[in-house]
Amino acid sequence: TGRKLAERRVAPAGESFINDVAVIKDAAYFTDSLKAQLYVLPFGSRGKGHGPNFGKVRVLPTPGITIGAGFNANGIETTPDGKALLVIQSNTGTLFRVSPRTGVATPVNVGGADLTNGDGILRRGSSLFVVRNVNNLIVQLALNRSGSTGRVVRTITDPTLDVPATIAPFGPFLYAANARFTTPPTPTTTYHISRIP
């Protein structure tokens, strides 16, 4: 119906930067690009928006992620086996496997692949796509089931990419939303999405 079920403030304005979200079972996990933590929002009984745990946001520290200048934790996804989370740290290019129970973050062995400026990430099966925004690249990794290791399958570029921030699938294609961060916004600035085969 589109009816809003809840609205929750997790921190005072300016103290956090909620960036992306992934779902495991009955809760949503949100990254904070300014802090080494995730926000966890339970859906409630059967995802209906009610019950004793619905709307009780909890902070899940992510030991293993060291906060630095710029954007830290950004895109988030689930591992191929659905048992853990994958989080890309933009400023270091490190891909982490994060326990949804303890928050412990362990670097994924990606064979030295450059993932700096990693933004949105998308998993389809065992493939993980990492958007490298200002680089105008999308890196496709092949992961093992647990998401502890991965290797680069290909690097995708396209002349229409203009600082893509995230991607979504539709049919046989990926669609990248171009944030155009390097273009000063004006009332007449245009924005577009790019279709990637």
Side-chain angles (χ1 to χ4, degrees), residues 52-71:
N53 293 320
F54 175 69
K56 291 183 179 178
V57 177
R58 72 180 167 95
V59 173
L60 180 66
T62 52
I65 297 179
T66 301
I67 297 300
F71 281 94

Side-chain angles (χ1 to χ4, degrees), residues 19-20 74-76 88-90 115-121 129-134 163-166 179 181:
N19 202 316
D20 207 346
N74 197 322
I76 185 170
I88 186 71
Q89 185 174 10
S90 294
L115 302 177
T116 53
N117 303 313
D119 202 323
I121 61 177
F129 298 88
V130 180
V131 176
R132 297 182 61 203
N133 53 33
V134 296
V163 194
T166 193
F181 290 142

